[in-house]
Amino acid sequence: MTSRNILVINCGSSSIKFALLDPAHSHFALSGLAERLGSPDAVLHWQQDGQKHSLNMPSADHRGALAQLLPRVEQAANGRLHGIGHRVVHGGEHFTQASRIDSASLAAIRSTAPLAPLHNPANLLGIEAALGLFPELPQVAVFDTAFHQSLPEHAYRYALPEVLYREHGVRRYGFHGTSHRYVSQRAAELSGLDPANSSWLSAHLGNGCSTCAIVNGQSRDTSMGLTPLEGLAMGTRSGDIDPNLFGHLSRTLGWSLEQTEHMLNHDSGLLGLSGLSNDMRSLEQASASGHPGATLAIEVFCYRLAKSLAAMSCALPQLDGLIFTGGIGENSALVRSKTLAHLRLLNLYLDDNANARCVRGESGAIQRAGHPRVLVIATNEERQIALDTLALLN
Ligand code: AMP
């Protein structure tokens, strides 16, 4: 097979994550992170051939960082870069799949910015910088929301006045779609099932966390909503709360909208409950040495995850398996076992040895014999973005 090098870019407001890969191979030829962009401490870190490198780029912006990256990408790709795939967080209702970047798709991404005011403008910065530097190269946008555009209306509508949906786009969109799609396809492959004829529950558990019900290759429900705050307890996000909390904190503590919003997104979840950390690994260690907040945070995390998976099962005709992915899903035997202890009504049981074995990149089946499949699968959003980019270039 001829090599097809795709550069995958994921831009935040002050960072760019990148990976150069050929989807025919499992490894990244080059990968890294530019961070603190726009500040005197802007820095580029990258890995190539097992070696780590860094370069200070004082005050470099997104374009400056990509300009530093360009010669390294070209060299790693032997001068043959075929396209660029951009991760874009929100595609609204406009994008049901990846899209070649042109003036029409750029305008549509821009018009979606009010739905993702922190993310889409940052993603656009990266796209515009890359278009400026690589004008000849085909570029593709791959959306976190697109996979969930197949949700039925009863799953995506909030029980709110219709005008808010019709005129202002207030509905559930869902995120992490690239990851849920990738791992559900892998799950079908690993199980010898047809992706177009199989049903999965998926739990993407990283710093952000969401569940998804996938039927015949399509998302039928998911736990995140209008924004990534809805659903599970996460690293620093609260997940579901009673929305009257906004009024309550305003009346009792005089908190502004912004204060409550900040608290729900940045000071809550595992961090808020434990008073210690947003990081599951640290919490597991602290809990083992008797920290009550860490223990409570893990209990709440797992119970709410189990409740969400049980709710997602309403969207499935049958259960071919449950998938754990993301940093916590791929590594925490404790979270997997505590979560499944709440899901006996779905007949889900773990093989303790297999569960303990599937950590640090080890994927596989971890269910007890005679019970529904439970799979640990390493997600690879970069690879999925590269595959989507290639599919559009072909
Ligand atoms: P991600 O955003 O997918 O990189 O996932 C980050 C989360 O995965 C953090 O909460 C980490 O603490 C967690 N994580 C990574 N490795 C482990 C581990 N060995 N045990 C428990 N949690 C882990």
Side-chain angles (χ1 to χ4, degrees):
M1 190 194 248
T2 52
S3 69
R4 304 287 274 164
N5 293 302
I6 304 292
L7 176 64
V8 174
I9 294 180
N10 179 357
C11 271
S13 56
S14 64
S15 69
I16 305 176
K17 281 192 207 137
F18 54 88
L20 175 70
L21 64 154
D22 177 344
H25 303 296
S26 56
H27 68 280
F28 295 162
L30 178 84
S31 64
L33 170 73
E35 58 182 348
R36 300 195 284 273
L37 296 177
S39 85
D41 303 323
V43 60
L44 177 67
H45 304 285
W46 73 99
Q47 282 193 42
Q48 192 175 5
D49 302 326
Q51 304 273 338
K52 292 186 175 176
H53 311 267
S54 289
L55 176 76
N56 291 324
M57 323 174 283
S59 302
D61 58 5
H62 287 74
R63 193 181 165 115
L66 285 178
Q68 289 289 350
L69 192 57
L70 172 65
R72 295 174 172 89
V73 168
E74 299 227 294
Q75 179 257 329
N78 292 322
R80 288 196 303 272
L81 183 61
H82 290 89
I84 300 184
H86 294 269
R87 176 185 179 217
V88 178
V89 168
H90 217 308
E93 288 189 328
H94 188 89
F95 294 102
T96 57
Q97 56 186 13
S99 170
R100 189 84 176 243
I101 291 175
D102 55 22
S103 53
S105 60
L106 268 178
I109 296 170
R110 248 179 233 118
S111 72
T112 310
L115 289 171
L118 295 180
H119 293 106
N120 273 32
N123 301 151
L124 278 164
L125 277 178
I127 294 175
E128 280 158 0
L131 286 172
L133 289 165
F134 308 88
E136 308 301 326
L137 214 52
Q139 306 203 21
V140 167
V142 180
F143 301 89
D144 270 22
T145 52
F147 182 53
H148 303 300
Q149 280 296 302
S150 50
L151 257 57
E153 191 164 10
H154 63 255
Y156 73 69
R157 286 290 295 277
Y158 289 115
L160 293 172
E162 206 226 354
V163 63
L164 291 177
Y165 169 59
R166 292 274 168 241
E167 293 182 18
H168 304 284
V170 175
R171 53 160 283 179
R172 309 183 64 253
Y173 291 94
F175 298 86
H176 290 148
T178 307
S179 176
H180 290 301
R181 183 158 57 102
Y182 177 79
V183 294
S184 59
Q185 279 168 5
R186 285 290 297 144
E189 280 165 28
L190 291 171
S191 310
L193 297 174
D194 180 359
N197 188 17
S198 54
S199 298
W200 305 95
L201 290 175
S202 159
H204 176 107
L205 311 174
N207 222 342
C209 302
S210 68
T211 57
C212 187
I214 301 137
V215 179
N216 302 342
Q218 293 193 325
S219 174
R220 291 287 168 82
D221 202 355
T222 190
S223 60
M224 285 177 166
L226 175 72
T227 76
L229 183 60
E230 188 177 332
L232 306 177
M234 313 182 205
T236 63
R237 295 187 198 125
S238 62
D240 293 342
I241 48 131
D242 183 337
N244 277 334
L245 182 63
F246 276 89
H248 178 74
L249 293 181
S250 163
R251 283 187 299 274
T252 54
L253 301 178
W255 281 24
S256 66
L257 275 183
E258 289 72 22
Q259 269 176 299
T260 303
E261 205 169 56
H262 188 275
M263 177 273 290
L264 294 173
N265 282 283
H266 300 288
D267 303 330
S268 299
L270 295 173
L271 174 63
L273 277 164
S274 67
L276 187 68
S277 172
N278 64 334
D279 188 280
M280 184 58 84
R281 202 170 1 189
S282 309
L283 293 181
E284 287 189 13
Q285 284 159 4
S287 172
S289 36
H291 190 289
T295 304
L296 178 68
I298 296 170
E299 295 297 338
V300 171
F301 183 89
C302 295
Y303 180 62
R304 293 181 54 151
L305 169 58
K307 279 211 301 189
S308 175
L309 289 167
M312 287 297 136
S313 74
C314 297
L316 301 186
Q318 90 252 349
L319 178 62
D320 288 312
L322 162 63
I323 307 159
F324 282 101
T325 194
I328 300 173
E330 292 165 32
N331 288 295
S332 178
L334 180 74
V335 165
R336 297 188 299 241
S337 109
K338 280 189 171 295
T339 303
L340 288 212
H342 298 299
L343 288 170
R344 296 301 186 227
L345 285 181
L346 291 182
N347 197 24
L348 292 164
Y349 286 82
L350 289 184
D351 174 314
D352 292 336
N353 290 330
N355 186 34
R357 211 168 39 241
C358 283
V359 292
R360 288 184 286 281
E362 186 69 33
S363 294
I366 59 170
Q367 75 278 4
R368 195 177 295 174
H371 292 271
R373 270 183 209 93
V374 182
L375 302 173
V376 176
I377 299 182
T379 194
N380 193 337
E381 291 163 279
E382 293 83 2
R383 184 174 156 77
Q384 186 64 59
I385 291 173
L387 286 168
D388 289 352
T389 302
L390 259 188
L392 276 177
L393 304 193
N394 291 337

